[in-house]
Amino acid sequence: MAFTQDELKQQVAKAAIEYVKSGIIGVGTGSTANYFIDELAKVKHKIDGAVASSEASADRLRKHGIEVFDLNSVNSMDIYVDGADEITEHMHMLKGGGGALTREKIVAAVAKTFICICDETKYVPVLGKFPLPVEVLPMAKSYVARELTKLGGQPQLRNFTTDNGNVILDVHGLVIKDPIAMEATINQMVGVVTNGLFAARPANILLLATKDGVKTITK
Ligand code: 5RP
């Protein structure tokens, strides 16, 4: 039976609920994360609440009656569940299609286990076909765009303001063979808040929705 991409996203969101035990859950952003939030609502009696990686996810959680905590009031978090735009077998991810990359990286840093939920179209041999989002302070956008061009990419300004009041440059045309090095290089550029490579802190568990069911991949 052929599933649509939305059905696959729903299936993988449902599979992630198995990892929800108690406490405070880190919740990502995007359409797959939205399906996860809807599933989380069904087991909300098991948890104390959630930390959200965007205002949009926080709103959706609250609509379901799930308490949203400020990250600063949370000392530890067992799991962070989020989608990705691309992920490799090394669990390196490219994220930020929804523009929430900075808060996603911060919440992920606090969580013990990063559970990436994706449909199989996101599983790639090399990162970079999806344009790499870079969150930049507005006054630095032209400078950072020139620096990104030196790396071989073609940056394009997204018509979007992040939850942090910054802008996003989407970098096209990169073939990212060493995501850990590229993540560090871009983060060193003055004016960059963060970039969408999640390689220094990769996913721990990948739940991948395929036409044959949800596969669990760990490194
Ligand atoms: C948002 C993200 C998302 O996880 C990523 O864009 C995947 O989104 P979707 O689940 O809608 O395909 O990084 O900033």
Side-chain angles (χ1 to χ4, degrees):
M1 185 178 157
F3 294 107
T4 64
Q5 193 178 17
D6 269 342
E7 284 167 337
L8 291 175
K9 287 180 179 187
Q10 239 166 332
Q11 287 169 15
V12 79
K14 215 173 252 199
I17 292 297
E18 216 175 288
Y19 295 84
V20 173
K21 305 290 181 215
S22 61
I24 291 173
I25 309 299
V27 174
T29 299
S31 56
T32 319
N34 280 344
Y35 284 124
F36 174 71
I37 293 171
D38 297 346
E39 292 300 324
L40 190 62
K42 297 176 191 168
V43 297
K44 64 180 179 188
H45 56 277
K46 288 172 67 172
I47 60 169
D48 296 328
V51 171
S53 65
S54 63
E55 299 298 336
S57 291
D59 285 348
R60 199 176 184 99
L61 286 157
R62 286 193 198 99
K63 277 190 186 128
H64 279 301
I66 298 171
E67 189 172 352
V68 178
F69 288 85
D70 181 318
L71 183 64
N72 292 306
S73 68
V74 173
N75 292 327
S76 78
M77 198 189 297
D78 285 339
I79 59 168
Y80 175 67
V81 181
D82 198 0
D85 298 301
E86 292 180 339
I87 183 163
T88 68
E89 63 176 328
H90 305 293
M91 312 292 256
H92 297 148
M93 294 166 284
L94 188 156
K95 290 179 47 51
L101 57 155
T102 300
R103 293 191 185 195
E104 291 171 348
K105 214 176 258 195
I106 295 168
V107 184
V110 175
K112 290 192 190 100
T113 303
F114 188 134
I115 302 172
C116 181
I117 51 174
C118 283
D119 66 85
E120 61 190 342
T121 62
K122 311 285 188 73
Y123 198 52
V124 298
V126 181
L127 300 175
K129 196 163 176 206
F130 191 96
L132 175 65
V134 181
E135 181 165 353
V136 180
L137 294 176
M139 74 169 288
K141 67 182 184 231
S142 301
Y143 165 71
V144 172
R146 288 192 294 275
E147 292 300 299
L148 290 167
T149 304
K150 288 181 196 164
L151 293 182
Q154 296 105 46
Q156 273 178 19
L157 183 64
R158 198 188 295 186
N159 185 16
F160 178 81
T161 303
T162 69
D163 285 347
N164 315 308
N166 297 314
V167 298
I168 298 238
L169 293 168
D170 288 309
V171 191
H172 296 251
L174 292 174
V175 179
I176 305 169
K177 297 209 172 109
D178 186 345
I180 294 177
M182 180 75 90
E183 181 178 0
T185 300
I186 296 176
N187 280 346
Q188 288 295 330
M189 294 174 183
V190 177
V192 167
V193 179
T194 197
N195 70 82
L197 288 170
F198 286 56
R201 196 269 187 255
N204 305 102
I205 298 171
L206 167 60
L207 300 177
L208 191 68
T210 75
K211 58 181 178 359
D212 304 316
V214 176
K215 292 188 178 151
T216 304
I217 299 167
T218 50
K219 203 178 158 228

